[in-house]
Amino acid sequence: MAFVYGCRYLKHSQAHSAPRGKAVKITAPEKTTLSDPLGYLKRAGVLWDRRVRKSLNAMCTELKVPLHGQPRISADREDFMAKWNELSNYSMDLANYRPVYAPKDLLEVLLSLKGPAKTTENTDEIPQWEFSHIALPVKNLFELRTHFADLLRGDGYLGMPDLTTQCQRILETRHAPMCQQFLKKGCTPAPYRGALWAAVLDSKLHDYDIEHWQKLRNTVWTTDHIVDKLVFKDIQLTASNDDQYFVFEDVLYQVLLCFSRDTDIGSCVDYEAFPVKGKTYEGPPSGVVPFHGICMFAAPFCYLYDSPVNLYYTFRAFYIRYCHRLTTINTHPQGIVSLCLLFEKLLQTYEPQLWSHFRELQIQPLRVVFKWLMRAFSGHLPPDQLLILWDLILGFDSLEILPLFAIIILSFRKESLMQVASLDNIESILADLSSIKVLPLVQLALSRD
């Protein structure tokens, strides 16, 4: 479905409008960069968060709806409660609602970042091809090979005749490191994956968790919030149109609506801190402004759990530990900026022909893979392969597997990529990942010279 994402709200929220097609540059004062080499990046993170929240506020003003929500009228509340288990049948007018931002909006801001080393008079005339000016430490292939060494070993669980028995024994120990060690092999028996993930993420249910879920559900029933429309819109634009996930539409509504009300999320997420003058803007109760594709972080969990409550807490823990770093500008070693930098360095080092080809076409390679990175490949890989990839993320406690995997996909299709000369054709070659197998390709990537 062709869709112009919520850029109009992002553009309306900018203090100074940028010409159409140009990214808004987020720069830092010189004195800041002198005292802190990453000051401009931290400042960009704060400004991006403010910009997104301001966009949500602008949407509320334009549509004349309160930011903090309002009580549902009696008939609406009763209808919502009656259809809680089949919310796909709940009628809601979404014609005027758009996602606040999409991955491409965050990418444009990232590509516009100018660090201390790029402050030349002709900066605006030089294509921003790479992130090499960003002073974030990233691993080289040798260090990645060391970190993911278990993937290159032929021993361990792969040689055992009864994986199920081994998995059951490990789960009986309730020892998270042992569960992680099992996940590292990428051969998790499907019936036990949910229990392993819950053990690693410490998301096992207690009585107070169930009570908290019920409170969140009751708040959804009684309060009408703008994020409800954004959640419904996002699911309808993504999961509902996906052959692999449309059957989970109803449970995704439940999970994402409760997620939007959960104030515990904001207190658990570490946001970039930096002193920036100007007005602050409030966001949803959870602190997470829904964006295009947010439901795809939750969708894979539908294959692991029958209960929405179990699904919710494991998804929430996964989002807090990993996903939020993919949607914010931050200096974390596994944040989206570091992953982009790692991708570009690996591409330049191990696929110089492809790198040169992109340069000749004046196409930033990140434009090709950013949607993969930001969504951790959800919605792009078949679910069975995506779950293996996420096994590895949890097993090695690392998002660095994402750029490494992106590189090997480009390498795998290098011959076709070298024969085309437009972004549309490149994206066509990479659009279908249904034949991709995660484990052998990751092993191949790690074993390269």
Side-chain angles (χ1 to χ4, degrees):
M1 177 177 181
F3 187 75
V4 177
Y5 303 112
C7 300
R8 60 171 176 158
Y9 294 108
L10 284 172
K11 290 176 181 177
H12 286 174
S13 71
Q14 295 159 9
H16 302 284
S17 337
R20 186 179 298 274
K22 281 194 175 183
V24 176
K25 295 182 176 61
I26 298 180
T27 56
E30 185 177 355
K31 62 180 181 181
T32 300
T33 59
L34 289 175
S35 59
D36 182 358
L38 295 178
Y40 74 99
L41 193 56
K42 296 175 181 177
R43 182 174 186 267
V46 175
L47 290 178
W48 168 253
D49 181 64
R50 178 192 293 180
R51 174 180 166 185
V52 168
R53 290 168 181 261
K54 186 177 180 180
S55 301
L56 181 65
N57 282 252
M59 187 185 297
C60 290
T61 301
E62 181 177 329
L63 299 176
K64 298 179 180 178
V65 296
L67 175 64
H68 300 290
Q70 56 191 349
R72 295 188 189 276
I73 61 175
S74 178
D76 182 39
R77 182 170 64 251
E78 293 175 4
D79 189 29
F80 211 94
M81 293 170 62
K83 295 179 178 176
W84 178 246
N85 291 318
E86 48 182 23
L87 285 171
S88 53
N89 295 325
Y90 180 77
S91 178
M92 185 180 291
D93 182 9
L94 302 174
N96 294 322
Y97 292 88
R98 300 288 183 271
V100 176
Y101 71 95
K104 65 176 183 179
D105 299 309
L106 177 56
L107 175 60
E108 292 302 333
V109 173
L110 292 180
L111 291 175
S112 74
L113 290 174
K114 296 294 186 289
K118 292 286 184 178
T119 54
T120 63
E121 293 183 2
N122 297 322
T123 296
D124 292 336
E125 300 175 9
I126 301 174
Q128 183 69 32
W129 294 110
E130 53 192 86
F131 278 15
S132 58
H133 62 283
I134 296 178
L136 287 174
V138 296
K139 293 183 175 69
N140 56 37
L141 188 59
F142 175 79
E143 292 167 324
L144 290 172
R145 190 179 292 130
T146 301
H147 183 77
F148 295 105
D150 286 342
L151 285 173
L152 296 176
R153 297 194 179 111
D155 57 355
Y157 301 109
L158 286 174
M160 294 182 177
D162 191 353
L163 275 174
T164 298
T165 301
Q166 295 299 323
C167 190
Q168 289 173 336
R169 289 176 181 173
I170 288 173
L171 284 171
E172 287 173 1
T173 69
R174 298 184 179 182
H175 190 49
M178 289 186 67
C179 294
Q180 281 186 294
Q181 194 64 30
F182 191 95
L183 290 172
K184 286 180 179 181
K185 298 300 179 181
C187 57
T188 306
Y192 298 97
R193 180 174 272 122
L196 286 167
W197 286 22
V200 172
L201 292 165
D202 192 24
S203 61
K204 298 175 185 176
L205 287 185
H206 303 88
D207 289 341
Y208 57 82
D209 293 319
I210 297 174
E211 292 176 4
H212 185 58
W213 166 264
Q214 292 172 341
K215 289 179 181 178
L216 294 173
R217 181 196 61 190
N218 293 339
T219 304
V220 174
W221 287 353
T222 57
T223 307
D224 182 18
H225 203 287
I226 187 172
V227 292
D228 300 345
K229 281 78 172 177
L230 297 177
V231 164
F232 269 75
K233 190 76 173 186
D234 184 61
I235 293 173
Q236 290 179 14
L237 289 172
T238 53
S240 297
N241 290 325
D242 192 310
D243 291 342
Q244 307 292 338
Y245 297 109
F246 75 94
V247 295
F248 303 121
E249 182 179 359
D250 291 323
V251 71
L252 285 173
Y253 287 130
Q254 292 183 15
V255 168
L256 268 297
L257 289 172
C258 288
F259 181 85
S260 70
R261 304 302 204 282
D262 197 338
T263 55
D264 288 349
I265 295 170
S267 61
C268 292
V269 170
D270 293 325
Y271 290 100
E272 202 71 83
F274 197 82
V276 175
K277 295 181 180 179
K279 183 179 178 181
T280 58
Y281 296 88
E282 295 188 47
S286 67
V288 181
V289 176
F291 50 88
H292 180 67
I294 187 173
C295 77
M296 297 309 294
F297 285 137
F301 291 86
C302 296
Y303 281 97
L304 308 185
Y305 304 101
D306 295 327
S307 163
V309 186
N310 292 86
L311 190 161
Y312 176 75
Y313 281 103
T314 307
F315 156 64
R316 188 184 75 167
F318 188 81
Y319 185 92
I320 290 171
R321 185 178 294 190
Y322 300 111
C323 301
H324 86 93
R325 301 196 191 284
L326 301 175
T327 62
T328 58
I329 300 174
N330 57 80
T331 57
H332 192 274
Q334 294 188 42
I336 190 63
V337 180
S338 293
L339 298 183
C340 289
L341 179 59
L342 176 58
F343 166 79
E344 289 198 336
K345 288 194 172 184
L346 289 174
L347 185 64
Q348 290 178 63
T349 303
Y350 297 99
E351 288 295 349
Q353 283 186 307
L354 268 178
W355 177 261
S356 298
H357 183 58
F358 280 116
R359 286 294 300 268
E360 290 172 2
L361 299 178
Q362 296 200 6
I363 297 172
Q364 291 103 329
L366 273 174
R367 294 194 181 279
V368 178
V369 304
F370 187 77
K371 58 188 177 183
W372 296 346
L373 301 180
M374 183 172 163
R375 287 199 348 199
F377 283 90
S378 182
H380 299 287
L381 283 175
D384 63 323
Q385 294 301 308
L386 179 74
L387 293 174
I388 292 174
L389 182 66
W390 287 15
D391 279 347
L392 301 181
I393 289 174
L394 286 164
F396 292 96
D397 191 26
S398 175
L399 289 168
E400 291 161 322
I401 199 83
L402 300 177
L404 181 68
F405 187 52
I407 289 290
I408 200 63
I409 292 176
L410 296 188
S411 298
F412 195 60
R413 299 191 174 170
K414 176 180 177 179
E415 185 177 347
S416 298
L417 292 172
M418 294 295 293
Q419 295 175 7
V420 297
S422 72
L423 180 59
D424 288 343
N425 288 337
I426 290 173
E427 291 181 337
S428 295
I429 291 171
L430 300 171
D432 183 7
L433 301 184
S434 59
S435 63
I436 294 293
K437 302 299 180 185
V438 168
L439 200 56
L441 281 184
V442 170
Q443 291 170 332
L444 178 61
L446 291 170
S447 61
R448 302 170 76 177
D449 294 330

